[in-house]
């Protein structure tokens, strides 16, 4: 069960976390950390949601620890709401054969 660390009632900034982590165990830790902070999976290695400044700093520390010394990259992007509202997102559900 996911334990959400950030209080969902607190306003936060739109945040996007992108990652490419080679080690399976460390990648799972990154994924779990994102879920624990209430971020939703946007695609396989991308999570999005709203984080307060304090929650973002905590998540950064946790993700840095999760990556450790293994190969990979984690990007935490703080966005403005207008960027989300103005974004073009193309989504297609494949037809059943």
């Amino acid at each position: 069960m996911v334990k959400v660390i950030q209080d969902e009632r607190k306003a936060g900034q739109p945040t996007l976390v992108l990652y490419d982590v080679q080690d399976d165990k460390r990648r799972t830790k990154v994924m779990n950390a994102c879920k624990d902070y209430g971020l939703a999976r946007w695609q396989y290695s991308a999570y999005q949601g709203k984080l307060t400044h304090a929650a973002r700093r905590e998540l950064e520390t946790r993700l840095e620890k999760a990556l450790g010394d293994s190969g990979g990259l984690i990007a935490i992007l703080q966005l403005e709401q207008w960027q989300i509202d103005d974004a073009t997102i193309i989504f297609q559900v494949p037809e059943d054969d």
Side-chain angles (χ1 to χ4, degrees), residues 6-14 50-53:
Q6 177 178 276
D7 184 346
E8 295 177 6
R9 296 170 295 180
K10 292 187 176 179
Q13 286 293 113
K50 290 189 175 186
L51 294 176
T52 63
H53 180 74

Side-chain angles (χ1 to χ4, degrees), residues 1-72:
M1 175 153 74
V2 175
K3 176 186 171 195
V4 178
I5 295 173
Q6 177 178 276
D7 184 346
E8 295 177 6
R9 296 170 295 180
K10 292 187 176 179
Q13 286 293 113
T15 304
L16 181 61
V17 177
L18 308 169
Y19 60 91
D20 182 10
V21 178
Q22 297 170 5
D23 181 84
D24 290 340
K25 286 184 180 181
R26 293 188 184 270
R27 187 171 48 249
T28 298
K29 287 181 180 184
V30 169
M31 179 185 69
N32 288 336
C34 290
K35 288 180 181 179
D36 287 349
Y37 278 84
L39 301 179
R41 179 172 256 163
W42 208 11
Q43 106 178 43
Y44 185 73
S45 59
Y47 280 80
Q48 60 85 23
K50 290 189 175 186
L51 294 176
T52 63
H53 180 74
R56 179 180 171 198
R57 294 292 176 226
E58 290 173 12
L59 179 60
E60 288 172 357
T61 300
R62 185 165 166 191
L63 292 176
E64 186 175 2
K65 184 177 178 181
L67 183 60
D69 59 359
S70 72

